[in-house]
């Protein structure tokens, strides 16, 4: 119980998960990576006695040695600074966000919803909708409380069709409410536990403030962070991962101006939005029929379903849009604003306007309205 090597592992991942770039940025990243490695090494040295004989511990020690050599890191030098932990004692219901907000403001918090699913498609906190041509690791959320990153890889060799195959979530330390926690999910492995093996962290007035549970072991995880009023749902649909988030506006807006790349806040960069991808008509027709049976409303979830099905040819891919819509219904509360429709579909009752072409799914960017 006293061997906390998994905590060392989590701290190393937290210190390096955001490092990327080329040129001068790469040099800076290498320096930061070496600092993180030295911190990792110090953490393992502190665990030498309680972790004696632990396989994970000895694997970590050997791995650090290999990485120090591989990256030509000096063994002496600066170490990574831990992520800042706000100081000050907490009292009352401070670790229960919604309760403390109601007491302080006299009303419930304003919640916002974001999701990523399929090829991947992004519904932002502002209800914009983008289809993204992205590969590699991209941050969804990066604020004072939470860091969420998704990794996209090609769905198959030689294709531009990408899917989310890894999700990393870091819950930053917050006063006496909770220590830093790391959650990671990969394709075919959606654990109902944090990286250190625990299923909860922090307790206040008899209530656990950070928990993870599952309804479908290995394919679904629900994480509740009561201290920031945030709910995250990770699930696997077909051969891709999806993530849905519900968070108070005050939490998701608490970030430094330097954190200007957050897909859940601003959507995909313009240069990475899909603008042309016209499927063969016969394939589109079959996909439209299949998706219409699952998603009768011709909203962005229906279009995303058709997009994914024609791109992958896998009927199971349609489950991603269905699951994302179900999450949106549960996370947006009253049901108002669940569906996002193309602007052309808005207006008074009358003749049905033409559908937005599938090839325009990513071009419209924020040109969607909430409905129903």
């Amino acid at each position: 119980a006293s061997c906390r090597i998994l905590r060392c592992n989590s701290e190393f991942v937290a210190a390096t998960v955001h490092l990327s770039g080329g040129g001068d940025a790469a040099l800076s990243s290498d320096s930061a990576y070496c600092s993180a490695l030295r911190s990792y090494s110090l953490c393992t040295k502190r665990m030498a006695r309680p972790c004696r004989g632990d396989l994970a511990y000895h694997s970590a020690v050997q791995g650090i040695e290999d990485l120090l050599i591989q990256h030509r890191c000096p063994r002496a030098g600066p170490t990574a600074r831990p992520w800042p932990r706000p100081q000050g004692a907490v009292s009352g219901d401070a670790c229960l966000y919604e309760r403390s907000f109601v007491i302080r403001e006299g009303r419930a918090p304003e919640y916002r919803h974001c999701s990523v699913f399929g090829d991947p498609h992004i519904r932002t906190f502002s209800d914009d909708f983008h289809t993204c041509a992205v590969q590699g690791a991209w941050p969804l959320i990066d604020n004072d409380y939470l860091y969420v990153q998704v990794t996209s890889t090609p769905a198959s060799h030689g294709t531009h069709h990408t899917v989310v195959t890894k999700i990393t979530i870091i819950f930053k330390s917050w006063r006496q409410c909770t220590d830093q926690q790391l959650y990671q999910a990969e394709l075919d492995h959606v654990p109902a536990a944090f990286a250190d093996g625990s299923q909860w962290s922090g307790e206040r007035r008899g209530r656990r403030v950070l928990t993870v549970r599952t309804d479908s072991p290995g394919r679904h995880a629900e994480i509740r962070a009561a201290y920031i009023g945030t709910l995250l749902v990770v699930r696997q649909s077909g051969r891709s991962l999806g993530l849905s988030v519900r968070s108070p506006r005050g939490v998701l807006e608490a970030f430094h101006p330097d954190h200007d790349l957050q897909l859940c806040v601003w959507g995909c960069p313009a240069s990475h939005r899909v603008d042309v991808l016209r499927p063969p008509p016969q394939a589109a027709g079959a996909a439209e029929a299949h998706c219409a049976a699952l998603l009768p409303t011709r909203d962005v979830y229906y279009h995303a379903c058709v997009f994914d099905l024609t791109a992958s040819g896998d009927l199971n891919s349609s489950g991603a849009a269905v699951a994302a819509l179900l999450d949106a219904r549960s996370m947006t509360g009253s049901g108002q604003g669940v569906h996002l429709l193309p602007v052309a579909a808005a207006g008074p009752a009358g003749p049905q306007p033409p559908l937005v072409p599938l090839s325009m799914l990513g071009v419209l960017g924020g040109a969607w309205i909430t409905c129903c």
Side-chain angles (χ1 to χ4, degrees):
S2 59
C3 178
R4 306 186 72 187
I5 187 60
L6 293 179
R7 177 57 54 84
C8 296
N9 297 350
S10 297
E11 290 176 352
F12 175 68
V13 172
T16 58
V17 70
H18 62 288
L19 298 178
S20 63
D24 292 339
L27 294 176
S28 175
S29 295
D30 286 343
S31 175
Y33 190 81
C34 289
S35 295
L37 274 175
R38 286 189 288 266
S39 294
Y40 193 9
S41 180
L42 288 175
C43 187
T44 60
K45 289 177 181 177
R46 290 194 295 268
M47 294 294 156
R49 184 182 296 274
C51 292
R52 183 183 304 157
D54 185 275
L55 180 60
Y57 168 78
H58 292 288
S59 296
V61 170
Q62 185 58 54
I64 292 168
E65 289 297 314
D66 292 342
L67 289 172
L68 285 169
I69 295 171
Q70 177 182 335
H71 291 269
R72 300 180 180 178
C73 296
R75 295 182 182 276
T79 55
R81 291 183 300 174
W83 287 22
R85 179 171 182 168
Q87 300 300 313
V90 297
S91 59
D93 297 314
C95 292
L96 303 175
Y97 184 92
E98 184 169 339
R99 188 179 299 175
S100 63
F101 187 94
V102 170
I103 293 173
R104 184 175 67 253
E105 303 292 337
R107 60 180 177 85
E110 176 187 350
Y111 288 97
R112 305 300 296 170
H113 168 60
C114 172
S115 63
V116 56
F117 63 97
D119 190 10
H121 313 288
I122 303 285
R123 176 175 179 157
T124 73
F125 287 127
S126 301
D127 290 333
D128 292 331
F129 188 84
H130 299 155
T131 298
C132 312
V134 295
Q135 289 190 35
W138 291 75
L140 285 183
I141 301 171
D142 186 4
N143 59 43
D144 293 347
Y145 307 92
L146 191 63
Y147 181 85
V148 181
Q149 176 181 281
V150 295
T151 302
S152 296
T153 58
S156 58
H157 181 69
T159 180
H160 295 294
H161 171 55
T162 61
V163 292
V164 174
T165 55
K166 183 176 181 179
I167 296 173
T168 300
I169 305 170
I170 299 174
F171 298 90
K172 302 179 185 180
S173 299
W174 183 246
R175 295 181 178 172
Q176 283 81 42
C177 297
T178 183
D179 291 329
Q180 179 176 285
Q181 278 286 8
L182 169 69
Y183 178 86
Q184 285 188 306
E186 297 188 50
L187 203 62
D188 297 325
H189 180 61
V190 181
F194 297 106
D196 64 1
S198 66
Q199 293 182 307
W200 64 276
S201 176
E203 190 168 356
R204 196 73 178 176
R205 297 198 170 192
R207 181 175 174 182
R208 293 170 177 174
V209 300
L210 181 60
T211 61
V212 58
R213 57 172 293 276
T214 183
D215 288 331
S216 178
R219 299 183 66 86
H220 165 272
E222 178 184 288
I223 307 172
R224 291 185 180 271
Y227 68 103
I228 53 174
T230 297
L231 170 66
L232 304 98
V233 176
V234 181
R235 67 174 82 246
Q236 179 169 335
S237 299
R239 300 304 302 162
S240 69
L241 296 178
L243 173 69
S244 296
V245 182
R246 178 179 182 259
S247 188
R249 185 168 185 170
V251 169
L252 61 92
E253 291 181 349
F255 60 85
H256 192 275
D258 289 347
H259 299 169
D260 56 357
L261 181 58
Q262 300 183 62
L263 299 190
C264 270
V265 178
W266 290 289
C268 301
S271 61
H272 290 80
R273 296 176 193 172
V274 174
D275 57 355
V276 177
L277 183 58
R278 190 181 300 276
Q282 65 273 20
E288 288 167 357
H290 177 78
C291 292
L294 299 173
L295 301 159
T297 303
R298 300 297 178 95
D299 60 4
V300 296
Y301 297 100
Y302 163 81
H303 284 284
C305 175
V306 175
F307 186 101
D308 292 346
L309 187 49
T310 54
S312 68
D314 179 9
L315 287 176
N316 291 325
S317 67
S318 59
V322 174
L325 176 58
L326 293 175
D327 286 340
R329 283 177 176 162
S330 66
M331 291 185 176
T332 54
S334 65
Q336 297 296 318
V338 171
H339 298 281
L340 303 180
L341 302 181
V343 171
Q352 181 69 29
L355 292 175
V356 175
L358 182 63
S359 61
M360 293 295 291
L361 183 61
V363 181
L364 294 176
W368 310 90
I369 63 169
T370 55
C371 168
C372 315

